[in-house]
Amino acid sequence: MAPLLEVEHLKKYFRAGGDRQLHAVDDISFTLEAGKTLGVVGESGCGKTTLGRTIVHLIEPTEGTIRFEGEDISNPSKKDLRRLRENMQIIFQDPYSSLDPRMSVSQSIMEPLLLQGKLSKAECREETLKLMKVVGLAEDYENAYPHELDGGRRQRIVVARALALKPKFIVCDEPVSALDVSIQAQILNLMLDLQEERNIAYLFVTHDLSVVKYISDDIMVMYMGHMVEKAPSGLLFENPMHPYTQALLSAIPVPSIHNRKKRIIMQGEITSPINPKPGCRFAARCRYAAPDCAQAQQLEEVERGHFVSCCRCHEIKKAQAYQTN
Amino acid sequence: MGEKILDITGLKVEYHTDGAIIYAVNGVNLSLYKGETLGLVGETGAGKTTIARSIMRILQTPPAKLCGGSINYKGQEILDLSEKEMRRIRGNKIAMIFQDPMTALNPIEKVGFQIAETIAVHNKITKAEAEKRACDMLEMVGIPMERYGEYPHQFSGGMKQRVVIAMALACNPELLLADEPTTALDVTIQAQVLEMIQNLKEKLGTSVILITHDLGVVASCCDSVAVIYGGQVVEYGNLEHIFDHPTHPYTIGLFNSLPKLDSGETRLKPIKGLMPNMKELRPGCHFCERCNDARECCKTLSPETVEISPGHIVKCHFAKKEVESWPHSLKSNI
Ligand SMILES: Nc1ncnc2c1ncn2[C@@H]1O[C@H](COP(=O)(O)OP(=O)(O)OP(=O)(O)O)[C@@H](O)[C@H]1O
Ligand SMILES: Nc1ncnc2c1ncn2[C@@H]1O[C@H](COP(=O)(O)OP(=O)(O)OP(=O)(O)O)[C@@H](O)[C@H]1O
Ligand SMILES: [Mg+2]
Ligand SMILES: [Mg+2]
């Protein structure tokens, strides 16, 4: 059976004045099975949001193929798009701006059901109350408005709304970043429960590396539009191979005042994603950079399921092992 | 410790919205010394942004209503200043990084121009110099200066946040109120930004109030921490107090909720329940409904704040008992 989602050589370029092109997403390929989570991490501005939005067709891809349940959806017709919307949803970071302030809680959740037009009004309301229960919102909030609610409850509405049409795939763009750690834990548990019950697949974008490790089956690391590394969650943390991934993991702030780690400082010029040169985009800041890095990099499967896009990764690993011994 | 530059006592703020009153801040006391970084952590809706906005005097009134308390900034009562006097302080002496970057950015103005303008307003320099400085600031927050002429909508969420940070830091403030400044940033750029704030502290003795829910960030760059719940400070202390001897049940719950990098847990352990709605001021402890150790008195009596060790303040009926249950080795320094 085909995987739920297949993305091949996906590109999204934005025009940046004149004939200059900003390479926001540049040749990304991956597959995602039903009921699994692919975490996406990377530097701010590296193209994570653009990737998510392109997959669900909020913006048009420049090039590449997207297949959903085996069917090519790269250029959907209006009718296809409607069906797609039922199966693919997106949750944005900011629970303030992703809810219409003039709609009450139940109106917000009910809207996609009403637009879909399959259920009567009474059935829609019944379904809405059910959804509120699923996400842990008390019925008394049915008529409340977003500004009256705290961030945790608002994000529950957003989740309920995304679930309304029973999607098989949800892009979650920093869904818990705005929440404190306790409410964040509640929402993450809820999303995992829902995944188990309904076999939903997530593309989960976040900056919080302990969250991504906890929630993902696989993790993809992006750097300036490229996928530089992808591995099963545990492996990526045990054996990061790409120098950018290593720098990223070294910078995780630990919630303790005792074990201070040493952060890898990245120096050098920040390259621009506008009309970038071929070759590794991290090279300008990489302490292991060599002439070969100016060539286009190939993705290599270094161990089962672990892909790295760095021509020097084996040498680097060896040198590092030597240093620590 | 050096000079005390900020002293907040008994701060009370309410929001009056169609018929209902939300008791957002209920008697907050905080002080801040020159060069100190104070972390504010707490539940969403606990009142952190409201406290920061009160200091800047930019609460929107109505719906907000300042109902009491005092905010003393270097001997001046901020709450008594005229709007004109306040304008001189804002930006120059006190700068704020907003939680939502679009509060501070103009959607139809070029990003670089907006930074340059802020720099020009706060420093006596030529336009060309301001532009040059703006380019440097962009690069310092990791954005190539080539992108000077773009508009906010062409930037990613984190890039907008970095522009706002550049603008706030460009003013060389004495007091920086940073409201979730690095929430939308990856950890490497976050570390860079925190370092910039650290440099400002070292260069100018800037004091910082850092609102964040990232306890890792607190551990790496704060000197003291106030844990806010239901518009009150429920625990306050230095890093050692909060990280090694967290005592209020809410603070302990926060630590328990964290996903751990080195464990294979399948479900997280959040604090049960949600924030009470702050539409009525209940008599007891605001946290009692969610507290596993709550007793009868917690429902009816508001707990006093007790200093369980020098500088470590907890607002809980059972704080003292907690200390007694610490392992002996930890008690020796009390
Ligand atoms: N509508 C747009 N027009 C032009 N450029 C854009 C547009 N949207 C995004 N970009 C650019 O594309 C690149 C990727 O942006 P994107 O929002 O996908 O980043 P991101 O990884 O989500 O970053 P963050 O972590 O800060 O949210 C950035 O350089 C950004 O400036
Ligand atoms: N303009 C407003 N009108 C009505 N209520 C408001 C307004 N602004 C804030 N509140 C309410 O005041 C309380 C405190 O809000 P505040 O924004 O200060 O919390 P916070 O601690 O900053 O939360 P977060 O972590 O979500 O940013 C919340 O219950 C909130 O709903
Ligand atoms: Mg983004
Ligand atoms: Mg806030």
Coordinates of all heavy atoms in Angstrom, one line a residue, chain B residues 88-141:
Chain B
R88 N 9.1 60.2 27.4 CA 10.5 60.3 27.4 C 11.2 59.1 28.0 O 12.4 58.8 27.6 CB 10.9 61.5 28.3 CG 11.2 62.8 27.5 CD 12.1 63.7 28.2 NE 11.5 64.1 29.5 CZ 10.7 65.2 29.7 NH1 10.5 66.0 28.7 NH2 10.2 65.5 30.9
I89 N 10.6 58.4 28.9 CA 11.2 57.2 29.5 C 11.0 56.0 28.5 O 12.0 55.2 28.4 CB 10.4 56.9 30.8 CG1 10.8 58.0 31.8 CG2 10.8 55.5 31.3 CD1 10.3 57.7 33.2
R90 N 9.9 55.9 27.9 CA 9.6 54.8 27.1 C 10.6 54.7 25.9 O 10.8 55.7 25.2 CB 8.2 54.9 26.5 CG 7.3 53.7 26.9 CD 5.9 53.9 26.3 NE 5.0 54.4 27.4 CZ 4.1 55.3 27.2 NH1 4.0 56.0 26.1 NH2 3.3 55.6 28.2
G91 N 11.1 53.6 25.6 CA 12.1 53.5 24.5 C 13.5 53.9 24.9 O 14.4 53.2 24.6
N92 N 13.6 55.1 25.5 CA 14.9 55.5 25.9 C 15.5 54.8 27.1 O 16.5 54.3 27.1 CB 14.9 57.0 26.3 CG 15.2 57.9 25.1 OD1 16.0 57.5 24.3 ND2 14.7 59.1 25.1
K93 N 14.7 54.8 28.2 CA 15.1 54.2 29.4 C 14.6 52.8 29.6 O 15.2 51.9 30.0 CB 14.6 55.1 30.6 CG 15.1 56.5 30.6 CD 16.1 56.8 31.7 CE 16.9 58.0 31.5 NZ 16.2 59.2 31.5
I94 N 13.3 52.7 29.2 CA 12.6 51.3 29.3 C 12.2 50.9 27.9 O 11.5 51.7 27.3 CB 11.4 51.4 30.3 CG1 11.7 52.1 31.6 CG2 10.8 50.0 30.5 CD1 10.6 52.1 32.6
A95 N 12.6 49.8 27.5 CA 12.2 49.3 26.2 C 11.5 47.9 26.4 O 11.8 47.2 27.3 CB 13.4 49.1 25.3
M96 N 10.6 47.6 25.5 CA 9.8 46.4 25.6 C 9.9 45.6 24.3 O 9.8 46.2 23.2 CB 8.4 46.6 26.0 CG 7.6 45.4 26.1 SD 6.2 45.6 27.3 CE 5.3 44.1 27.0
I97 N 10.2 44.3 24.4 CA 10.0 43.4 23.3 C 8.7 42.7 23.4 O 8.4 42.0 24.4 CB 11.2 42.3 23.3 CG1 12.5 43.0 23.2 CG2 11.0 41.4 22.1 CD1 13.7 42.1 23.4
F98 N 7.8 42.9 22.4 CA 6.5 42.4 22.6 C 6.4 40.9 22.2 O 7.1 40.5 21.3 CB 5.5 43.2 21.7 CG 5.3 44.6 22.2 CD1 6.1 45.6 21.8 CD2 4.3 44.9 23.2 CE1 5.9 46.9 22.3 CE2 4.2 46.1 23.7 CZ 5.0 47.2 23.2
Q99 N 5.4 40.3 22.8 CA 5.1 38.9 22.6 C 4.7 38.7 21.1 O 5.2 37.8 20.5 CB 4.0 38.5 23.5 CG 3.7 37.0 23.6 CD 2.8 36.7 24.8 OE1 2.2 37.6 25.4 NE2 2.7 35.5 25.2
D100 N 3.9 39.5 20.6 CA 3.4 39.5 19.2 C 4.2 40.5 18.4 O 3.9 41.7 18.6 CB 1.9 39.7 19.2 CG 1.5 39.8 17.7 OD1 2.3 39.5 16.8 OD2 0.3 40.3 17.5
P101 N 5.1 40.1 17.6 CA 6.0 41.1 16.9 C 5.2 42.2 16.1 O 5.6 43.3 16.0 CB 6.9 40.3 16.0 CG 6.4 38.9 16.0 CD 5.5 38.8 17.2
M102 N 4.0 41.8 15.6 CA 3.3 42.7 14.8 C 2.7 43.9 15.6 O 2.3 44.9 15.0 CB 2.2 42.0 13.9 CG 2.7 41.2 12.8 SD 4.1 42.0 11.8 CE 3.2 43.2 10.9
T103 N 2.7 43.8 16.9 CA 2.3 45.0 17.7 C 3.3 46.1 17.5 O 3.0 47.3 17.6 CB 2.4 44.7 19.2 OG1 2.4 43.3 19.4 CG2 1.2 45.3 20.0
A104 N 4.6 45.7 17.2 CA 5.6 46.7 17.1 C 6.0 47.0 15.7 O 6.8 48.0 15.4 CB 6.8 46.3 17.9
L105 N 5.6 46.2 14.7 CA 6.0 46.5 13.3 C 4.9 47.1 12.5 O 3.7 46.8 12.7 CB 6.4 45.1 12.7 CG 7.7 44.5 13.2 CD1 7.9 43.2 12.6 CD2 8.9 45.4 13.0
N106 N 5.3 47.9 11.6 CA 4.4 48.5 10.7 C 4.3 47.6 9.4 O 5.4 47.5 8.7 CB 4.8 49.9 10.4 CG 3.9 50.6 9.4 OD1 3.1 50.0 8.8 ND2 4.0 52.0 9.4
P107 N 3.2 47.1 9.1 CA 3.1 46.1 8.0 C 3.5 46.7 6.6 O 3.9 46.0 5.7 CB 1.7 45.6 8.0 CG 0.9 46.6 8.7 CD 1.9 47.2 9.7
I108 N 3.4 48.0 6.5 CA 3.6 48.6 5.1 C 4.9 49.4 5.0 O 5.1 50.3 4.2 CB 2.4 49.5 4.7 CG1 2.1 50.6 5.7 CG2 1.2 48.6 4.4 CD1 1.2 51.7 5.2
E109 N 5.8 49.2 6.0 CA 7.1 49.9 6.0 C 8.2 48.9 5.9 O 8.1 47.8 6.5 CB 7.2 50.7 7.2 CG 8.1 51.8 7.2 CD 7.6 53.0 6.5 OE1 6.8 53.8 7.1 OE2 8.0 53.2 5.3
K110 N 9.3 49.2 5.1 CA 10.4 48.3 5.0 C 11.0 48.0 6.4 O 11.2 48.9 7.2 CB 11.4 48.8 4.0 CG 10.9 48.8 2.6 CD 11.9 49.4 1.7 CE 11.3 49.3 0.3 NZ 11.9 50.3 -0.7
V111 N 11.4 46.7 6.5 CA 11.9 46.3 7.8 C 13.1 47.1 8.3 O 13.2 47.6 9.4 CB 12.2 44.8 7.8 CG1 12.9 44.3 9.0 CG2 11.0 44.0 7.4
G112 N 14.1 47.2 7.4 CA 15.3 47.9 7.7 C 15.1 49.3 8.1 O 15.6 49.9 9.0
F113 N 14.2 50.0 7.3 CA 13.8 51.3 7.6 C 13.3 51.5 9.0 O 13.6 52.5 9.7 CB 12.8 51.8 6.5 CG 12.3 53.2 6.8 CD1 13.0 54.3 6.4 CD2 11.1 53.4 7.4 CE1 12.6 55.6 6.6 CE2 10.6 54.7 7.6 CZ 11.3 55.8 7.2
Q114 N 12.4 50.5 9.4 CA 11.8 50.6 10.7 C 12.9 50.6 11.8 O 12.8 51.3 12.8 CB 10.8 49.5 10.9 CG 9.6 49.6 10.0 CD 8.5 48.7 10.3 OE1 8.0 48.6 11.4 NE2 8.0 48.0 9.3
I115 N 13.9 49.7 11.6 CA 15.0 49.7 12.6 C 15.7 51.0 12.6 O 16.0 51.6 13.7 CB 15.9 48.5 12.3 CG1 15.1 47.2 12.3 CG2 17.0 48.4 13.4 CD1 16.0 46.0 11.9
A116 N 16.1 51.4 11.4 CA 16.9 52.7 11.3 C 16.1 53.8 12.0 O 16.7 54.7 12.7 CB 17.2 53.0 9.8
E117 N 14.8 53.9 11.8 CA 14.1 55.0 12.3 C 14.1 55.0 13.9 O 14.3 56.0 14.5 CB 12.6 54.8 11.9 CG 11.9 56.1 11.8 CD 10.4 56.0 11.3 OE1 9.9 54.9 11.6 OE2 9.9 56.9 10.8
T118 N 14.0 53.8 14.4 CA 14.1 53.7 15.9 C 15.4 54.1 16.4 O 15.5 54.9 17.4 CB 13.9 52.2 16.3 OG1 12.8 51.6 15.6 CG2 13.6 52.1 17.8
I119 N 16.5 53.7 15.7 CA 17.8 54.1 16.1 C 18.0 55.6 16.0 O 18.5 56.3 16.9 CB 18.9 53.4 15.2 CG1 18.8 51.9 15.4 CG2 20.3 54.0 15.5 CD1 19.7 51.1 14.5
A120 N 17.5 56.2 14.9 CA 17.6 57.7 14.7 C 16.9 58.4 15.8 O 17.3 59.5 16.3 CB 17.0 58.0 13.3
V121 N 15.7 57.9 16.2 CA 14.9 58.6 17.3 C 15.7 58.7 18.6 O 15.6 59.6 19.3 CB 13.6 57.9 17.5 CG1 12.9 58.5 18.7 CG2 12.7 58.1 16.2
H122 N 16.4 57.6 18.9 CA 17.0 57.5 20.2 C 18.5 57.8 20.3 O 19.1 57.8 21.3 CB 16.9 56.0 20.8 CG 15.4 55.7 21.0 ND1 14.7 56.3 22.0 CD2 14.5 55.0 20.3 CE1 13.5 55.8 22.0 NE2 13.3 55.1 20.9
N123 N 19.1 58.1 19.1 CA 20.5 58.5 19.1 C 20.7 59.7 18.2 O 20.0 59.8 17.2 CB 21.4 57.4 18.6 CG 21.2 56.1 19.4 OD1 21.9 56.0 20.4 ND2 20.4 55.2 18.9
K124 N 21.6 60.6 18.6 CA 21.8 61.8 17.7 C 22.8 61.4 16.6 O 24.0 61.7 16.7 CB 22.3 62.9 18.5 CG 21.2 63.5 19.5 CD 21.7 64.8 20.2 CE 20.7 65.1 21.3 NZ 20.8 64.2 22.4
I125 N 22.3 60.8 15.6 CA 23.2 60.4 14.5 C 22.5 60.7 13.1 O 21.3 60.9 13.1 CB 23.6 58.9 14.5 CG1 22.4 58.0 14.6 CG2 24.6 58.7 15.6 CD1 22.7 56.6 14.5
T126 N 23.3 60.7 12.1 CA 22.7 61.0 10.7 C 22.0 59.8 10.2 O 22.1 58.7 10.7 CB 23.9 61.3 9.7 OG1 24.6 60.1 9.5 CG2 24.8 62.4 10.2
K127 N 21.2 60.1 9.2 CA 20.4 59.1 8.6 C 21.2 57.9 8.1 O 20.9 56.8 8.2 CB 19.6 59.7 7.4 CG 18.3 59.0 7.1 CD 17.4 59.7 6.1 CE 16.7 58.7 5.3 NZ 16.7 58.9 3.9
A128 N 22.3 58.3 7.4 CA 23.2 57.3 6.8 C 23.8 56.4 7.9 O 23.9 55.2 7.8 CB 24.3 57.9 6.0
E129 N 24.2 57.0 9.0 CA 24.7 56.2 10.1 C 23.7 55.3 10.7 O 23.9 54.2 11.0 CB 25.2 57.2 11.3 CG 26.6 57.8 11.0 CD 26.9 58.9 12.0 OE1 26.0 59.6 12.5 OE2 28.1 59.0 12.4
A130 N 22.4 55.8 10.8 CA 21.4 55.0 11.4 C 21.1 53.8 10.5 O 20.9 52.7 10.9 CB 20.1 55.8 11.5
E131 N 21.2 54.0 9.1 CA 21.0 52.9 8.2 C 22.1 51.9 8.4 O 21.9 50.7 8.3 CB 20.9 53.4 6.8 CG 19.6 53.9 6.4 CD 19.5 54.6 5.0 OE1 20.5 54.4 4.3 OE2 18.5 55.3 4.8
K132 N 23.3 52.4 8.5 CA 24.4 51.5 8.7 C 24.3 50.6 9.9 O 24.4 49.4 9.9 CB 25.7 52.3 8.7 CG 27.0 51.6 9.2 CD 27.7 51.0 8.0 CE 28.9 50.1 8.4 NZ 28.8 49.4 9.6
R133 N 23.9 51.3 11.0 CA 23.7 50.6 12.3 C 22.5 49.6 12.2 O 22.6 48.5 12.7 CB 23.3 51.6 13.4 CG 24.5 52.4 14.0 CD 25.0 51.9 15.3 NE 24.1 51.7 16.4 CZ 23.9 52.7 17.3 NH1 24.5 53.9 17.2 NH2 23.1 52.5 18.3
A134 N 21.5 49.9 11.4 CA 20.4 49.0 11.2 C 20.8 47.8 10.5 O 20.4 46.6 10.9 CB 19.2 49.7 10.5
C135 N 21.7 47.9 9.5 CA 22.2 46.8 8.8 C 23.0 45.9 9.8 O 22.8 44.7 9.8 CB 23.1 47.2 7.7 SG 22.3 47.9 6.3
D136 N 23.8 46.5 10.6 CA 24.6 45.7 11.6 C 23.7 45.0 12.5 O 23.9 43.8 12.8 CB 25.5 46.6 12.4 CG 26.6 47.3 11.6 OD1 26.8 46.8 10.4 OD2 27.2 48.3 12.0
M137 N 22.6 45.6 13.0 CA 21.7 45.0 13.9 C 21.1 43.8 13.2 O 20.9 42.8 13.9 CB 20.6 46.0 14.3 CG 21.0 47.0 15.3 SD 21.9 46.4 16.8 CE 20.5 46.0 17.9
L138 N 20.7 43.9 12.0 CA 20.0 42.8 11.2 C 21.0 41.6 11.2 O 20.6 40.5 11.6 CB 19.7 43.2 9.8 CG 18.3 43.8 9.5 CD1 18.2 44.1 8.0 CD2 17.2 42.9 9.9
E139 N 22.2 41.9 10.9 CA 23.2 40.8 10.8 C 23.4 40.2 12.2 O 23.6 38.9 12.3 CB 24.5 41.3 10.2 CG 24.4 41.7 8.8 CD 25.0 40.8 7.8 OE1 26.1 40.3 8.1 OE2 24.5 40.6 6.7
M140 N 23.4 41.0 13.2 CA 23.6 40.5 14.6 C 22.5 39.5 15.0 O 22.7 38.6 15.8 CB 23.7 41.7 15.6 CG 25.1 42.1 15.8 SD 25.2 43.6 16.7 CE 25.0 43.0 18.4
V141 N 21.3 39.8 14.5 CA 20.2 38.8 14.8 C 20.1 37.7 13.7 O 19.1 37.0 13.7 CB 18.9 39.5 15.1 CG1 18.9 40.3 16.3 CG2 18.4 40.3 13.9

